[in-house]
Amino acid sequence: MGGDVILTGDRPTGPLHLGHYAGSLKKRVELQDKYDQYILIADMQALTDNVGNPEKVHDNVLKVALDYLAVGLDPDRNAIFIQSLVPEIAELTMYYLNMVTLARLQRNPTVKDEMKQKGFGANVPAGFLTYPVSQAADITAFRAKYVPVGADQLPMIEQTNEIVDKFNSLYRREVLVRCAPLLSDVARLPGIDGQGKMGKSTGNAIFLKDDAETLSKKVRMMYTDPLHLRVSDPGHIKGNTVFSLLDAFDPDKAGLAELKKQYKRGGLGDVPVKDRLLRFLEAELSPIRRKRAEFGKDPGEVMNMLKKGSRKAREVAARVLADVRSALLLSY
Ligand code: TRP
């Protein structure tokens, strides 16, 4: 560790899947050697739309932690922590809420989309509408300079920087640090049903925890090209989940390009293409699965690791909070 600070996180609303792996987890493993990396399991944020189901959030904290460890995130090189065990974040959120307007919150495009999806309308929980503010607290509590995210999280970074600027200009000092996104260069993976993006709760994901048989079943039923009825028919690559996943996981790009040509021309069935994908996925996922099972044998130890990471995170967040309180003349 040492150098610039990175903060990233996930909501514990389900185990992590291939989309997380290709888009962010692999990247985090790379970054852990170059940066001071904080990885948060956002249980409080998850509650903003799961308040009626705290068991779900609770159970997924451990699952997400197991996924982290399984892909090779090292608790000695990262602070892996639970958001609710760092109450400084909640206190910062309380102050930051005074730096945003209701109109601004309602304009956040990601929140707008999610509200539509969940059918909240005017009955949106206030905590949900304001979660970008608590996300600003997640980020600024560690003076994070970089936040690796997908494109859907860009509005959160923008809102964070608005709060940072407002705070620093109101109190005429550089208390908070602006952050920049580190955008993933991997496109979001489609679901195995070809209907939209792979999601934790949409029933269309390949999870890191899936066993070999489940993986093979999911690849066999994967959406390809509904117009490709006979092997001799020309096939489509665009919108074809198998090829989208090959793009992300096939290391032999030249071989893949040749395969695509053949598929488009006709004469290549779905089965050999799926077999190829399964080979790569199995090679990539089987060591992860093994490690996950190993760590899963001792959940108490995983929890200890999270508590230790949370203590470390608290120390850092407490320093930022002290500066914020002082700027707000709350130091009595
Ligand atoms: N909102 C993020 C998501 O849904 C999770 C998250 C919470 C996060 N706090 C964060 C991501 C801070 C980056 C930085 O995936």
Side-chain angles (χ1 to χ4, degrees):
M1 284 212 210
D4 291 331
V5 175
I6 284 194
L7 180 125
T8 65
D10 298 281
R11 293 184 191 190
T13 51
L16 301 181
H17 54 64
L18 268 189
H20 297 113
Y21 181 63
S24 68
L25 295 174
K26 271 185 169 182
K27 184 73 166 248
R28 290 181 200 175
V29 173
E30 258 174 64
L31 294 170
Q32 69 182 347
D33 292 320
K34 302 185 199 120
Y35 293 91
D36 200 359
Q37 188 162 244
Y38 290 76
I39 304 175
L40 122 165
I41 304 184
D43 57 346
M44 292 169 87
Q45 186 177 116
L47 282 174
T48 63
D49 62 336
N50 286 287
V51 76
N53 196 358
E55 295 81 9
K56 170 171 146 191
V57 175
H58 179 266
D59 295 348
N60 280 304
V61 168
L62 182 67
K63 290 190 180 143
V64 168
L66 285 174
D67 288 331
Y68 287 167
L69 294 171
V71 299
L73 287 169
D74 175 356
D76 291 328
R77 277 179 287 171
N78 304 275
I80 304 178
F81 68 100
I82 302 180
Q83 188 184 27
S84 67
L85 290 182
V86 184
E88 286 76 8
I89 292 174
E91 187 174 336
L92 286 173
T93 304
M94 196 72 189
Y95 304 135
Y96 294 172
L97 280 169
N98 301 314
M99 321 250 151
V100 289
T101 64
L102 184 57
R104 176 63 183 93
L105 289 164
Q106 287 168 330
R107 266 202 317 274
N108 183 306
T110 298
V111 173
K112 255 165 80 178
D113 280 353
E114 289 171 331
M115 280 178 57
K116 212 180 288 162
Q117 229 177 57
K118 294 170 201 290
F120 280 147
N123 293 320
V124 59
F128 186 82
L129 190 66
T130 54
Y131 89 72
V133 180
S134 99
Q135 192 157 332
D138 296 339
I139 296 167
T140 55
F142 305 96
R143 298 203 154 97
K145 194 162 169 188
Y146 300 112
V147 186
V149 283
D152 64 311
Q153 296 292 306
L154 291 178
M156 309 304 168
I157 307 279
E158 196 180 316
Q159 248 186 308
T160 298
N161 284 330
E162 284 172 27
I163 291 171
V164 168
D165 291 345
K166 175 113 194 217
F167 196 102
N168 290 344
S169 86
L170 272 176
Y171 310 111
R172 290 179 298 278
R173 61 186 111 155
E174 296 295 304
V175 181
L176 303 177
V177 173
R178 286 180 67 91
C179 61
L182 283 184
L183 257 188
S184 158
D185 45 10
V186 181
R188 279 192 68 182
L189 299 183
I192 58 170
D193 56 0
Q195 306 293 307
K197 302 296 175 193
M198 194 175 282
K200 276 181 213 157
S201 47
T202 34
N204 65 0
I206 290 175
F207 293 106
L208 297 180
K209 69 174 180 59
D210 284 344
D211 59 29
E213 198 186 322
T214 308
L215 174 65
S216 140
K217 222 182 270 169
K218 285 182 177 176
V219 171
R220 261 183 282 137
M221 63 191 239
M222 201 173 276
Y223 180 88
T224 56
D225 170 9
L227 302 173
H228 187 232
L229 295 173
R230 277 172 303 241
V231 171
S232 55
D233 291 339
H236 293 85
I237 305 291
K238 210 170 167 267
N240 187 321
T241 299
V242 180
F243 281 102
S244 303
L245 292 193
L246 278 169
D247 280 335
F249 291 100
D250 189 337
D252 172 13
K253 297 297 169 214
L256 178 59
E258 191 47 48
L259 200 73
K260 285 182 182 174
K261 254 195 245 161
Q262 223 181 319
Y263 192 83
K264 278 197 265 194
R265 216 186 296 128
L268 179 60
D270 285 341
V271 174
V273 187
K274 286 183 169 179
D275 283 347
R276 180 183 175 103
L277 176 63
L278 183 59
R279 240 185 3 260
F280 290 127
L281 289 182
E282 182 56 27
E284 190 112 12
L285 294 183
S286 70
I288 294 177
R289 200 185 292 139
R290 240 188 341 265
K291 270 176 94 175
R292 201 179 187 283
E294 199 54 44
F295 285 114
K297 283 186 196 153
D298 196 349
E301 194 45 45
V302 177
M303 267 306 168
N304 282 340
M305 177 277 287
L306 291 175
K307 285 182 185 160
K308 192 169 159 214
S310 302
R311 279 194 296 273
K312 184 188 161 193
R314 261 199 100 164
E315 273 172 35
V316 177
R319 288 201 285 276
V320 174
L321 179 60
D323 291 348
V324 164
R325 288 186 60 123
S326 150
L328 292 167
L329 304 183
L330 294 168
S331 30
Y332 299 105

